[in-house]
Amino acid sequence: MRHHSRIRVPAPLALVCVAASFIMASHPALAAGPAHDQQFRIRSFLIPTVAADPARIALGADGNMWFTESNASKIGRVTPRGVITEFPIPGGASLRDITAGPDGALWFTKGAVGTIGRITPGGKITEARFGQSNAADSIAAGPDANIWFTETLANKVWRFDLTTRVFTDFTIPTPDSSPLEITGGPDGNLWFTETDRIGRITPEGAVTAFGAGLEHPFAITGGPDGNVWFVQQFEGMIGRVAPDGQFTFFVAPKNTLEDIALGPDGNLWVTEFAYNMVLRVTPDGVMTESQLVQGSSPSGISAGPRGTVWFLGFFGNRVYRLIP
């Protein structure tokens, strides 16, 4: 049976409600934005490989969208018109995250094979080794023009210098913090989610943690307002953290929030995995849900070319183009 490697088993609804109530009581800066249904223009494109389990998606320098197929060990490329090309990864391995690099290529993470991968707009694939059976998870281009990624099980964040081709690892001071998703922040640092807090690492490797006691912080992205935004996966919460570590929380209309990205319209976009919808969030926390996208199970989401937003249907086996 297929399963989503990044999705944890949801807590019972009662526990989710209790956790959400605790957070509301603990954070006086909590604010809630109403959700309004709206008919966005959405079109889908079927992925050629059956049961590909698409996980994460990113806009490439070539103007196309690139995504990982976690179950098929392929990288997919989809044009703005929806033409999909797939590139098999030599040697296999489960694929996870993908990001546009400062070198014009796309960089992606693999399972427990000790490498990260690079694919050019033309489809040429190379790898860079940082260990033997290490498992890279999330990956991002840093403000320092290098590639950064997390190694969750080893409690590390890694930097790959694109000029010197040297890997440097930084151990997170908090034991068993399990750094997961990582993003470049508006403040020139990297920000990442841990088991119960948000971490910040400078380009030199100095780590600071904020917000101990958070519940399931998961995906994270830089916002349009100089802050960093993240989702608490099963708590139905969207968080905003300022460079000084101050938090604001917004109650989402659904739980099982999967990914978050800055859209081309200056808003945040979130996928609601179990509810077959996507959510638009303004910097002030006002939320608008899309219509039901039946059977999609939205996973990764990203800004696209020409004012579009693209997201993946994990179980729908499709790529979706949304026009706000």
Side-chain angles (χ1 to χ4, degrees):
M1 181 176 72
R2 292 187 294 125
H3 67 282
H4 187 182
S5 61
R6 289 171 165 263
I7 291 292
R8 307 182 186 96
V9 178
L13 181 59
L15 293 180
V16 172
C17 292
V18 169
S21 299
F22 173 78
I23 294 172
M24 292 176 68
S26 302
H27 297 278
L30 183 69
H36 306 282
D37 290 335
Q38 179 170 320
Q39 297 297 310
F40 294 109
R41 293 170 56 190
I42 299 176
R43 184 177 177 185
S44 70
F45 308 97
L46 182 65
I47 297 172
T49 299
V50 176
D53 291 357
R56 288 294 184 266
I57 187 168
L59 174 62
D62 59 349
N64 297 314
M65 303 303 297
W66 294 76
F67 58 96
T68 54
E69 299 180 23
S70 62
N71 191 54
S73 195
K74 296 178 180 179
I75 297 292
R77 181 186 68 200
V78 56
T79 70
R81 293 183 176 273
V83 178
I84 296 177
T85 306
E86 296 175 296
F87 302 92
I89 302 303
S94 175
L95 303 185
R96 301 184 180 182
D97 200 7
I98 190 168
T99 190
D103 55 352
L106 284 296
W107 290 80
F108 58 92
T109 54
K110 303 174 67 175
V113 293
T115 65
I116 57 173
R118 178 182 185 269
I119 183 168
T120 68
K124 181 180 178 181
I125 297 171
T126 54
E127 295 183 349
R129 179 167 294 280
F130 67 98
Q132 293 301 317
S133 58
N134 305 60
D137 202 296
S138 178
I139 193 166
D144 59 347
N146 293 315
I147 299 297
W148 291 74
F149 60 96
T150 59
E151 189 182 4
T152 304
L153 296 180
N155 210 49
K156 292 181 178 181
V157 171
W158 288 78
R159 180 185 65 211
F160 179 54
D161 191 305
L162 289 180
T163 301
T164 64
R165 316 299 288 182
V166 171
F167 284 98
T168 305
D169 64 297
F170 304 96
T171 299
I172 307 306
T174 304
D176 302 318
S177 65
S178 301
L180 190 59
E181 303 255 348
I182 190 168
T183 189
D187 61 345
N189 297 308
L190 285 298
W191 291 74
F192 56 94
T193 53
E194 303 181 25
T195 300
D196 65 349
R197 63 198 72 195
I198 301 298
R200 182 187 67 199
I201 184 168
T202 68
E204 296 74 32
V207 178
T208 306
F210 302 97
L214 299 179
E215 295 286 340
H216 300 298
F218 193 53
I220 190 167
T221 189
D225 53 356
N227 299 312
V228 175
W229 291 70
F230 63 96
V231 300
Q232 292 185 261
Q233 191 175 32
F234 294 120
E235 310 310 313
M237 292 283 180
I238 298 170
R240 182 180 69 200
V241 56
D244 62 359
Q246 294 298 309
F247 285 83
T248 305
F249 291 86
F250 304 91
V251 180
K254 303 287 192 303
N255 54 15
T256 67
L257 307 177
E258 171 67 8
D259 198 13
I260 185 169
L262 175 60
D265 57 351
N267 296 310
L268 287 305
W269 290 80
V270 177
T271 48
E272 298 175 324
F273 184 84
Y275 294 92
N276 299 311
M277 297 179 182
V278 297
L279 179 69
R280 182 179 64 195
V281 186
T282 71
D284 294 326
V286 178
M287 302 183 192
T288 305
E289 279 188 310
S290 74
Q291 63 269 36
L292 183 70
V293 187
Q294 191 64 49
S296 58
S297 299
S299 49
I301 193 166
S302 173
R306 306 171 191 171
T308 57
V309 174
W310 291 70
F311 63 96
L312 300 170
F314 187 81
F315 290 128
N317 210 53
R318 291 176 177 270
V319 183
Y320 295 84
R321 183 185 67 204
L322 181 151
I323 300 177

